[in-house]
Amino acid sequence: RLAIDPGGRRVARSQGSFTQITGLPGKGKDAPSFEGSDPTWTSDGRSLVVSRPHEGRRRLFVIGIDGGFPRLLTDGSVP
């Protein structure tokens, strides 16, 4: 699955349970990769939302492309 950022400069590609971002300046073939699938860019193109397992369920996380840790978006109250 592919997701193109709103500016058309970066692509998030999901294979299996991992997502890789390509097109980041200076990254070349060392594009970041992280756990998560079904990537979707935020409207400003600065973060990516992915689905990944957490405490026995699939939950949504937001990941900033400039680094940092994934932040949980869903609390599990909705199946």
mmCIF file of all heavy atoms in Angstrom, residues 22-69:
data_model
loop_
_atom_site.group_PDB
_atom_site.id
_atom_site.type_symbol
_atom_site.label_atom_id
_atom_site.label_comp_id
_atom_site.label_asym_id
_atom_site.label_seq_id
_atom_site.Cartn_x
_atom_site.Cartn_y
_atom_site.Cartn_z
ATOM 1 N N THR A 22 10.072 7.182 1.680
ATOM 2 C CA THR A 22 11.105 7.531 0.716
ATOM 3 C C THR A 22 10.891 8.966 0.258
ATOM 4 O O THR A 22 9.787 9.499 0.348
ATOM 5 C CB THR A 22 11.081 6.592 -0.508
ATOM 6 O OG1 THR A 22 9.798 6.658 -1.109
ATOM 7 C CG2 THR A 22 11.376 5.167 -0.112
ATOM 8 N N GLY A 23 11.955 9.595 -0.222
ATOM 9 C CA GLY A 23 11.872 10.955 -0.723
ATOM 10 C C GLY A 23 12.245 12.012 0.293
ATOM 11 O O GLY A 23 12.113 13.199 0.026
ATOM 12 N N LEU A 24 12.730 11.611 1.483
ATOM 13 C CA LEU A 24 13.166 12.593 2.471
ATOM 14 C C LEU A 24 14.556 13.105 2.088
ATOM 15 O O LEU A 24 15.411 12.323 1.693
ATOM 16 C CB LEU A 24 13.224 11.966 3.869
ATOM 17 C CG LEU A 24 11.891 11.591 4.482
ATOM 18 C CD1 LEU A 24 12.107 10.848 5.793
ATOM 19 C CD2 LEU A 24 11.045 12.821 4.724
ATOM 20 N N PRO A 25 14.789 14.404 2.176
ATOM 21 C CA PRO A 25 16.096 14.947 1.802
ATOM 22 C C PRO A 25 17.230 14.330 2.630
ATOM 23 O O PRO A 25 17.106 14.159 3.823
ATOM 24 C CB PRO A 25 15.973 16.440 2.129
ATOM 25 C CG PRO A 25 14.536 16.693 2.342
ATOM 26 C CD PRO A 25 13.883 15.392 2.670
ATOM 27 N N GLY A 26 18.308 13.995 1.955
ATOM 28 C CA GLY A 26 19.498 13.485 2.633
ATOM 29 C C GLY A 26 19.400 12.056 3.122
ATOM 30 O O GLY A 26 20.329 11.552 3.711
ATOM 31 N N LYS A 27 18.307 11.384 2.905
ATOM 32 C CA LYS A 27 18.160 10.022 3.416
ATOM 33 C C LYS A 27 18.661 8.984 2.418
ATOM 34 O O LYS A 27 19.122 7.940 2.803
ATOM 35 C CB LYS A 27 16.696 9.723 3.772
ATOM 36 C CG LYS A 27 16.160 10.606 4.864
ATOM 37 C CD LYS A 27 16.777 10.281 6.189
ATOM 38 C CE LYS A 27 16.143 11.126 7.267
ATOM 39 N NZ LYS A 27 16.764 11.008 8.537
ATOM 40 N N GLY A 28 18.516 9.255 1.135
ATOM 41 C CA GLY A 28 18.946 8.293 0.125
ATOM 42 C C GLY A 28 18.330 6.936 0.357
ATOM 43 O O GLY A 28 17.153 6.809 0.586
ATOM 44 N N LYS A 29 19.179 5.911 0.336
ATOM 45 C CA LYS A 29 18.645 4.567 0.526
ATOM 46 C C LYS A 29 18.451 4.220 1.994
ATOM 47 O O LYS A 29 18.000 3.146 2.317
ATOM 48 C CB LYS A 29 19.529 3.538 -0.171
ATOM 49 C CG LYS A 29 20.943 3.497 0.320
ATOM 50 C CD LYS A 29 21.738 2.509 -0.505
ATOM 51 C CE LYS A 29 23.172 2.508 -0.033
ATOM 52 N NZ LYS A 29 23.990 1.596 -0.771
ATOM 53 N N ASP A 30 18.803 5.116 2.900
ATOM 54 C CA ASP A 30 18.613 4.884 4.325
ATOM 55 C C ASP A 30 17.279 5.448 4.807
ATOM 56 O O ASP A 30 17.198 6.073 5.854
ATOM 57 C CB ASP A 30 19.761 5.517 5.128
ATOM 58 C CG ASP A 30 21.095 4.876 4.799
ATOM 59 O OD1 ASP A 30 21.104 3.672 4.507
ATOM 60 O OD2 ASP A 30 22.105 5.586 4.826
ATOM 61 N N ALA A 31 16.247 5.244 4.035
ATOM 62 C CA ALA A 31 14.924 5.764 4.384
ATOM 63 C C ALA A 31 14.451 5.137 5.687
ATOM 64 O O ALA A 31 14.704 3.960 5.943
ATOM 65 C CB ALA A 31 13.933 5.465 3.269
ATOM 66 N N PRO A 32 13.791 5.934 6.541
ATOM 67 C CA PRO A 32 13.321 5.387 7.815
ATOM 68 C C PRO A 32 12.272 4.303 7.614
ATOM 69 O O PRO A 32 11.457 4.364 6.696
ATOM 70 C CB PRO A 32 12.735 6.595 8.535
ATOM 71 C CG PRO A 32 12.506 7.617 7.494
ATOM 72 C CD PRO A 32 13.435 7.327 6.363
ATOM 73 N N SER A 33 12.293 3.328 8.497
ATOM 74 C CA SER A 33 11.335 2.233 8.476
ATOM 75 C C SER A 33 10.841 2.028 9.901
ATOM 76 O O SER A 33 11.602 2.181 10.853
ATOM 77 C CB SER A 33 12.011 0.962 7.963
ATOM 78 O OG SER A 33 11.102 -0.102 7.925
ATOM 79 N N PHE A 34 9.553 1.732 10.052
ATOM 80 C CA PHE A 34 8.992 1.545 11.380
ATOM 81 C C PHE A 34 7.812 0.593 11.315
ATOM 82 O O PHE A 34 7.257 0.349 10.251
ATOM 83 C CB PHE A 34 8.566 2.886 11.984
ATOM 84 C CG PHE A 34 7.774 3.732 11.033
ATOM 85 C CD1 PHE A 34 6.413 3.572 10.891
ATOM 86 C CD2 PHE A 34 8.412 4.676 10.262
ATOM 87 C CE1 PHE A 34 5.700 4.338 10.008
ATOM 88 C CE2 PHE A 34 7.701 5.456 9.369
ATOM 89 C CZ PHE A 34 6.340 5.277 9.248
ATOM 90 N N GLU A 35 7.454 0.053 12.484
ATOM 91 C CA GLU A 35 6.327 -0.869 12.556
ATOM 92 C C GLU A 35 5.035 -0.102 12.330
ATOM 93 O O GLU A 35 4.812 0.952 12.904
ATOM 94 C CB GLU A 35 6.283 -1.556 13.914
ATOM 95 C CG GLU A 35 5.191 -2.594 14.005
ATOM 96 C CD GLU A 35 5.127 -3.261 15.364
ATOM 97 O OE1 GLU A 35 5.844 -2.847 16.291
ATOM 98 O OE2 GLU A 35 4.340 -4.198 15.488
ATOM 99 N N GLY A 36 4.190 -0.632 11.475
ATOM 100 C CA GLY A 36 2.903 -0.024 11.197
ATOM 101 C C GLY A 36 2.502 -0.305 9.758
ATOM 102 O O GLY A 36 3.338 -0.517 8.891
ATOM 103 N N SER A 37 1.206 -0.332 9.504
ATOM 104 C CA SER A 37 0.704 -0.578 8.156
ATOM 105 C C SER A 37 -0.413 0.414 7.841
ATOM 106 O O SER A 37 -0.835 1.185 8.695
ATOM 107 C CB SER A 37 0.206 -2.020 8.034
ATOM 108 O OG SER A 37 -0.828 -2.266 8.961
ATOM 109 N N ASP A 38 -0.885 0.388 6.605
ATOM 110 C CA ASP A 38 -1.959 1.263 6.134
ATOM 111 C C ASP A 38 -1.645 2.739 6.386
ATOM 112 O O ASP A 38 -2.416 3.452 7.032
ATOM 113 C CB ASP A 38 -3.296 0.889 6.791
ATOM 114 C CG ASP A 38 -3.684 -0.547 6.521
ATOM 115 O OD1 ASP A 38 -3.541 -0.979 5.363
ATOM 116 O OD2 ASP A 38 -4.096 -1.240 7.458
ATOM 117 N N PRO A 39 -0.508 3.242 5.870
ATOM 118 C CA PRO A 39 -0.114 4.621 6.154
ATOM 119 C C PRO A 39 -1.043 5.647 5.507
ATOM 120 O O PRO A 39 -1.546 5.442 4.407
ATOM 121 C CB PRO A 39 1.286 4.715 5.545
ATOM 122 C CG PRO A 39 1.280 3.706 4.436
ATOM 123 C CD PRO A 39 0.409 2.592 4.937
ATOM 124 N N THR A 40 -1.246 6.753 6.205
ATOM 125 C CA THR A 40 -2.009 7.894 5.702
ATOM 126 C C THR A 40 -1.328 9.163 6.206
ATOM 127 O O THR A 40 -1.051 9.287 7.398
ATOM 128 C CB THR A 40 -3.463 7.856 6.223
ATOM 129 O OG1 THR A 40 -4.071 6.627 5.807
ATOM 130 C CG2 THR A 40 -4.273 9.012 5.682
ATOM 131 N N TRP A 41 -1.062 10.104 5.311
ATOM 132 C CA TRP A 41 -0.417 11.356 5.690
ATOM 133 C C TRP A 41 -1.417 12.298 6.338
ATOM 134 O O TRP A 41 -2.589 12.324 5.983
ATOM 135 C CB TRP A 41 0.167 12.047 4.452
ATOM 136 C CG TRP A 41 1.361 11.345 3.901
ATOM 137 C CD1 TRP A 41 1.377 10.451 2.873
ATOM 138 C CD2 TRP A 41 2.699 11.460 4.346
ATOM 139 N NE1 TRP A 41 2.658 10.007 2.662
ATOM 140 C CE2 TRP A 41 3.485 10.611 3.546
ATOM 141 C CE3 TRP A 41 3.316 12.203 5.349
ATOM 142 C CZ2 TRP A 41 4.859 10.486 3.716
ATOM 143 C CZ3 TRP A 41 4.682 12.081 5.510
ATOM 144 C CH2 TRP A 41 5.445 11.229 4.708
ATOM 145 N N THR A 42 -0.931 13.111 7.279
ATOM 146 C CA THR A 42 -1.758 14.189 7.812
ATOM 147 C C THR A 42 -1.837 15.284 6.749
ATOM 148 O O THR A 42 -1.033 15.320 5.812
ATOM 149 C CB THR A 42 -1.161 14.764 9.120
ATOM 150 O OG1 THR A 42 0.175 15.210 8.855
ATOM 151 C CG2 THR A 42 -1.168 13.718 10.229
ATOM 152 N N SER A 43 -2.799 16.187 6.877
ATOM 153 C CA SER A 43 -3.021 17.200 5.840
ATOM 154 C C SER A 43 -1.834 18.146 5.663
ATOM 155 O O SER A 43 -1.633 18.685 4.574
ATOM 156 C CB SER A 43 -4.291 17.998 6.137
ATOM 157 O OG SER A 43 -4.167 18.655 7.383
ATOM 158 N N ASP A 44 -1.017 18.325 6.694
ATOM 159 C CA ASP A 44 0.149 19.203 6.560
ATOM 160 C C ASP A 44 1.388 18.455 6.052
ATOM 161 O O ASP A 44 2.423 19.058 5.781
ATOM 162 C CB ASP A 44 0.475 19.906 7.877
ATOM 163 C CG ASP A 44 0.837 18.946 9.003
ATOM 164 O OD1 ASP A 44 0.966 17.723 8.768
ATOM 165 O OD2 ASP A 44 0.981 19.433 10.137
ATOM 166 N N GLY A 45 1.311 17.137 5.912
ATOM 167 C CA GLY A 45 2.412 16.344 5.394
ATOM 168 C C GLY A 45 3.585 16.193 6.345
ATOM 169 O O GLY A 45 4.645 15.719 5.958
ATOM 170 N N ARG A 46 3.409 16.550 7.615
ATOM 171 C CA ARG A 46 4.511 16.463 8.579
ATOM 172 C C ARG A 46 4.463 15.213 9.439
ATOM 173 O O ARG A 46 5.404 14.927 10.178
ATOM 174 C CB ARG A 46 4.514 17.702 9.457
ATOM 175 C CG ARG A 46 4.881 18.921 8.629
ATOM 176 C CD ARG A 46 4.462 20.197 9.219
ATOM 177 N NE ARG A 46 5.148 20.558 10.446
ATOM 178 C CZ ARG A 46 4.981 21.732 11.021
ATOM 179 N NH1 ARG A 46 4.196 22.621 10.498
ATOM 180 N NH2 ARG A 46 5.601 22.005 12.130
ATOM 181 N N SER A 47 3.376 14.473 9.350
ATOM 182 C CA SER A 47 3.219 13.255 10.149
ATOM 183 C C SER A 47 2.504 12.196 9.332
ATOM 184 O O SER A 47 1.836 12.481 8.349
ATOM 185 C CB SER A 47 2.407 13.540 11.413
ATOM 186 O OG SER A 47 3.029 14.506 12.203
ATOM 187 N N LEU A 48 2.655 10.989 9.800
ATOM 188 C CA LEU A 48 2.037 9.838 9.156
ATOM 189 C C LEU A 48 1.226 9.086 10.203
ATOM 190 O O LEU A 48 1.683 8.904 11.333
ATOM 191 C CB LEU A 48 3.153 8.944 8.617
ATOM 192 C CG LEU A 48 2.834 7.918 7.564
ATOM 193 C CD1 LEU A 48 2.327 8.580 6.292
ATOM 194 C CD2 LEU A 48 4.076 7.117 7.252
ATOM 195 N N VAL A 49 0.030 8.665 9.843
ATOM 196 C CA VAL A 49 -0.799 7.852 10.731
ATOM 197 C C VAL A 49 -0.733 6.416 10.229
ATOM 198 O O VAL A 49 -0.888 6.170 9.034
ATOM 199 C CB VAL A 49 -2.269 8.349 10.749
ATOM 200 C CG1 VAL A 49 -3.134 7.449 11.613
ATOM 201 C CG2 VAL A 49 -2.333 9.794 11.226
ATOM 202 N N VAL A 50 -0.449 5.479 11.143
ATOM 203 C CA VAL A 50 -0.357 4.066 10.786
ATOM 204 C C VAL A 50 -1.154 3.233 11.782
ATOM 205 O O VAL A 50 -1.420 3.648 12.900
ATOM 206 C CB VAL A 50 1.107 3.566 10.755
ATOM 207 C CG1 VAL A 50 1.907 4.257 9.682
ATOM 208 C CG2 VAL A 50 1.772 3.700 12.103
ATOM 209 N N SER A 51 -1.506 2.048 11.348
ATOM 210 C CA SER A 51 -2.174 1.074 12.205
ATOM 211 C C SER A 51 -1.124 0.073 12.654
ATOM 212 O O SER A 51 -0.297 -0.366 11.857
ATOM 213 C CB SER A 51 -3.268 0.379 11.392
ATOM 214 O OG SER A 51 -3.777 -0.726 12.085
ATOM 215 N N ARG A 52 -1.148 -0.273 13.943
ATOM 216 C CA ARG A 52 -0.215 -1.283 14.428
ATOM 217 C C ARG A 52 -0.765 -1.940 15.682
ATOM 218 O O ARG A 52 -1.622 -1.385 16.360
ATOM 219 C CB ARG A 52 1.167 -0.692 14.663
ATOM 220 C CG ARG A 52 1.230 0.369 15.729
ATOM 221 C CD ARG A 52 2.559 1.044 15.718
ATOM 222 N NE ARG A 52 3.409 0.525 16.781
ATOM 223 C CZ ARG A 52 4.530 1.099 17.159
ATOM 224 N NH1 ARG A 52 4.981 2.147 16.538
ATOM 225 N NH2 ARG A 52 5.237 0.600 18.141
ATOM 226 N N PRO A 53 -0.275 -3.153 15.989
ATOM 227 C CA PRO A 53 -0.757 -3.841 17.177
ATOM 228 C C PRO A 53 -0.304 -3.138 18.452
ATOM 229 O O PRO A 53 0.818 -2.637 18.528
ATOM 230 C CB PRO A 53 -0.152 -5.232 17.074
ATOM 231 C CG PRO A 53 0.775 -5.233 15.942
ATOM 232 C CD PRO A 53 0.688 -3.928 15.241
ATOM 233 N N HIS A 54 -1.206 -3.095 19.430
ATOM 234 C CA HIS A 54 -0.882 -2.496 20.729
ATOM 235 C C HIS A 54 -1.841 -3.074 21.760
ATOM 236 O O HIS A 54 -3.054 -2.960 21.608
ATOM 237 C CB HIS A 54 -1.026 -0.976 20.652
ATOM 238 C CG HIS A 54 -0.727 -0.272 21.942
ATOM 239 N ND1 HIS A 54 0.552 -0.155 22.428
ATOM 240 C CD2 HIS A 54 -1.533 0.337 22.835
ATOM 241 C CE1 HIS A 54 0.511 0.518 23.567
ATOM 242 N NE2 HIS A 54 -0.742 0.821 23.839
ATOM 243 N N GLU A 55 -1.307 -3.736 22.764
ATOM 244 C CA GLU A 55 -2.110 -4.348 23.831
ATOM 245 C C GLU A 55 -3.214 -5.257 23.277
ATOM 246 O O GLU A 55 -4.359 -5.202 23.699
ATOM 247 C CB GLU A 55 -2.692 -3.268 24.729
ATOM 248 C CG GLU A 55 -1.630 -2.476 25.462
ATOM 249 C CD GLU A 55 -2.206 -1.363 26.314
ATOM 250 O OE1 GLU A 55 -3.431 -1.147 26.305
ATOM 251 O OE2 GLU A 55 -1.391 -0.698 26.993
ATOM 252 N N GLY A 56 -2.851 -6.077 22.298
ATOM 253 C CA GLY A 56 -3.767 -7.075 21.780
ATOM 254 C C GLY A 56 -4.781 -6.591 20.752
ATOM 255 O O GLY A 56 -5.611 -7.363 20.302
ATOM 256 N N ARG A 57 -4.739 -5.343 20.362
ATOM 257 C CA ARG A 57 -5.654 -4.796 19.349
ATOM 258 C C ARG A 57 -4.866 -3.951 18.368
ATOM 259 O O ARG A 57 -3.777 -3.499 18.660
ATOM 260 C CB ARG A 57 -6.706 -3.890 19.995
ATOM 261 C CG ARG A 57 -7.643 -4.596 20.901
ATOM 262 C CD ARG A 57 -8.611 -3.598 21.417
ATOM 263 N NE ARG A 57 -9.941 -4.169 21.327
ATOM 264 C CZ ARG A 57 -11.018 -3.559 21.706
ATOM 265 N NH1 ARG A 57 -10.960 -2.336 22.165
ATOM 266 N NH2 ARG A 57 -12.179 -4.149 21.611
ATOM 267 N N ARG A 58 -5.473 -3.693 17.220
ATOM 268 C CA ARG A 58 -4.866 -2.769 16.263
ATOM 269 C C ARG A 58 -5.306 -1.365 16.634
ATOM 270 O O ARG A 58 -6.480 -1.107 16.839
ATOM 271 C CB ARG A 58 -5.274 -3.110 14.841
ATOM 272 C CG ARG A 58 -4.709 -4.482 14.484
ATOM 273 C CD ARG A 58 -4.375 -4.716 13.059
ATOM 274 N NE ARG A 58 -3.473 -3.862 12.383
ATOM 275 C CZ ARG A 58 -2.146 -3.981 12.361
ATOM 276 N NH1 ARG A 58 -1.560 -4.918 13.073
ATOM 277 N NH2 ARG A 58 -1.414 -3.185 11.651
ATOM 278 N N ARG A 59 -4.352 -0.471 16.749
ATOM 279 C CA ARG A 59 -4.634 0.914 17.128
ATOM 280 C C ARG A 59 -3.955 1.853 16.146
ATOM 281 O O ARG A 59 -3.040 1.463 15.423
ATOM 282 C CB ARG A 59 -4.116 1.184 18.547
ATOM 283 C CG ARG A 59 -4.624 0.179 19.565
ATOM 284 C CD ARG A 59 -5.544 0.807 20.559
ATOM 285 N NE ARG A 59 -6.173 -0.164 21.433
ATOM 286 C CZ ARG A 59 -5.772 -0.477 22.648
ATOM 287 N NH1 ARG A 59 -4.701 0.078 23.155
ATOM 288 N NH2 ARG A 59 -6.443 -1.341 23.371
ATOM 289 N N LEU A 60 -4.372 3.107 16.152
ATOM 290 C CA LEU A 60 -3.777 4.112 15.280
ATOM 291 C C LEU A 60 -2.722 4.910 16.026
ATOM 292 O O LEU A 60 -2.933 5.323 17.169
ATOM 293 C CB LEU A 60 -4.846 5.062 14.750
ATOM 294 C CG LEU A 60 -5.918 4.435 13.869
ATOM 295 C CD1 LEU A 60 -6.932 5.494 13.462
ATOM 296 C CD2 LEU A 60 -5.308 3.778 12.652
ATOM 297 N N PHE A 61 -1.589 5.119 15.369
ATOM 298 C CA PHE A 61 -0.482 5.896 15.912
ATOM 299 C C PHE A 61 -0.116 6.991 14.913
ATOM 300 O O PHE A 61 -0.226 6.796 13.707
ATOM 301 C CB PHE A 61 0.759 5.011 16.116
ATOM 302 C CG PHE A 61 0.666 4.100 17.290
ATOM 303 C CD1 PHE A 61 -0.033 2.911 17.218
ATOM 304 C CD2 PHE A 61 1.291 4.439 18.486
ATOM 305 C CE1 PHE A 61 -0.119 2.065 18.309
ATOM 306 C CE2 PHE A 61 1.215 3.590 19.581
ATOM 307 C CZ PHE A 61 0.501 2.405 19.491
ATOM 308 N N VAL A 62 0.340 8.132 15.413
ATOM 309 C CA VAL A 62 0.860 9.194 14.556
ATOM 310 C C VAL A 62 2.370 9.267 14.778
ATOM 311 O O VAL A 62 2.847 9.168 15.910
ATOM 312 C CB VAL A 62 0.178 10.558 14.825
ATOM 313 C CG1 VAL A 62 0.476 11.080 16.205
ATOM 314 C CG2 VAL A 62 0.580 11.568 13.770
ATOM 315 N N ILE A 63 3.106 9.391 13.671
ATOM 316 C CA ILE A 63 4.558 9.421 13.706
ATOM 317 C C ILE A 63 5.022 10.653 12.938
ATOM 318 O O ILE A 63 4.700 10.809 11.760
ATOM 319 C CB ILE A 63 5.158 8.150 13.074
ATOM 320 C CG1 ILE A 63 4.649 6.913 13.810
ATOM 321 C CG2 ILE A 63 6.670 8.214 13.052
ATOM 322 C CD1 ILE A 63 4.934 5.620 13.097
ATOM 323 N N GLY A 64 5.769 11.533 13.590
ATOM 324 C CA GLY A 64 6.343 12.693 12.913
ATOM 325 C C GLY A 64 7.497 12.259 12.033
ATOM 326 O O GLY A 64 8.306 11.430 12.436
ATOM 327 N N ILE A 65 7.593 12.815 10.833
ATOM 328 C CA ILE A 65 8.665 12.382 9.927
ATOM 329 C C ILE A 65 10.012 12.946 10.328
ATOM 330 O O ILE A 65 11.038 12.517 9.815
ATOM 331 C CB ILE A 65 8.343 12.734 8.459
ATOM 332 C CG1 ILE A 65 8.206 14.234 8.286
ATOM 333 C CG2 ILE A 65 7.113 12.001 7.987
ATOM 334 C CD1 ILE A 65 8.263 14.663 6.845
ATOM 335 N N ASP A 66 10.038 13.913 11.233
ATOM 336 C CA ASP A 66 11.305 14.485 11.687
ATOM 337 C C ASP A 66 11.895 13.739 12.871
ATOM 338 O O ASP A 66 12.854 14.193 13.481
ATOM 339 C CB ASP A 66 11.104 15.957 12.061
ATOM 340 C CG ASP A 66 10.745 16.792 10.854
ATOM 341 O OD1 ASP A 66 11.164 16.435 9.736
ATOM 342 O OD2 ASP A 66 10.037 17.792 11.020
ATOM 343 N N GLY A 67 11.316 12.610 13.213
ATOM 344 C CA GLY A 67 11.828 11.812 14.317
ATOM 345 C C GLY A 67 10.866 11.808 15.482
ATOM 346 O O GLY A 67 9.748 12.303 15.404
ATOM 347 N N GLY A 68 11.294 11.228 16.563
ATOM 348 C CA GLY A 68 10.433 11.129 17.734
ATOM 349 C C GLY A 68 9.754 9.776 17.789
ATOM 350 O O GLY A 68 9.912 8.938 16.910
ATOM 351 N N PHE A 69 9.006 9.593 18.848
ATOM 352 C CA PHE A 69 8.344 8.312 19.072
ATOM 353 C C PHE A 69 6.914 8.352 18.551
ATOM 354 O O PHE A 69 6.267 9.399 18.575
ATOM 355 C CB PHE A 69 8.331 7.996 20.570
ATOM 356 C CG PHE A 69 9.699 7.724 21.120
ATOM 357 C CD1 PHE A 69 10.391 8.713 21.803
ATOM 358 C CD2 PHE A 69 10.300 6.496 20.935
ATOM 359 C CE1 PHE A 69 11.656 8.473 22.309
ATOM 360 C CE2 PHE A 69 11.568 6.249 21.432
ATOM 361 C CZ PHE A 69 12.243 7.241 22.121
#
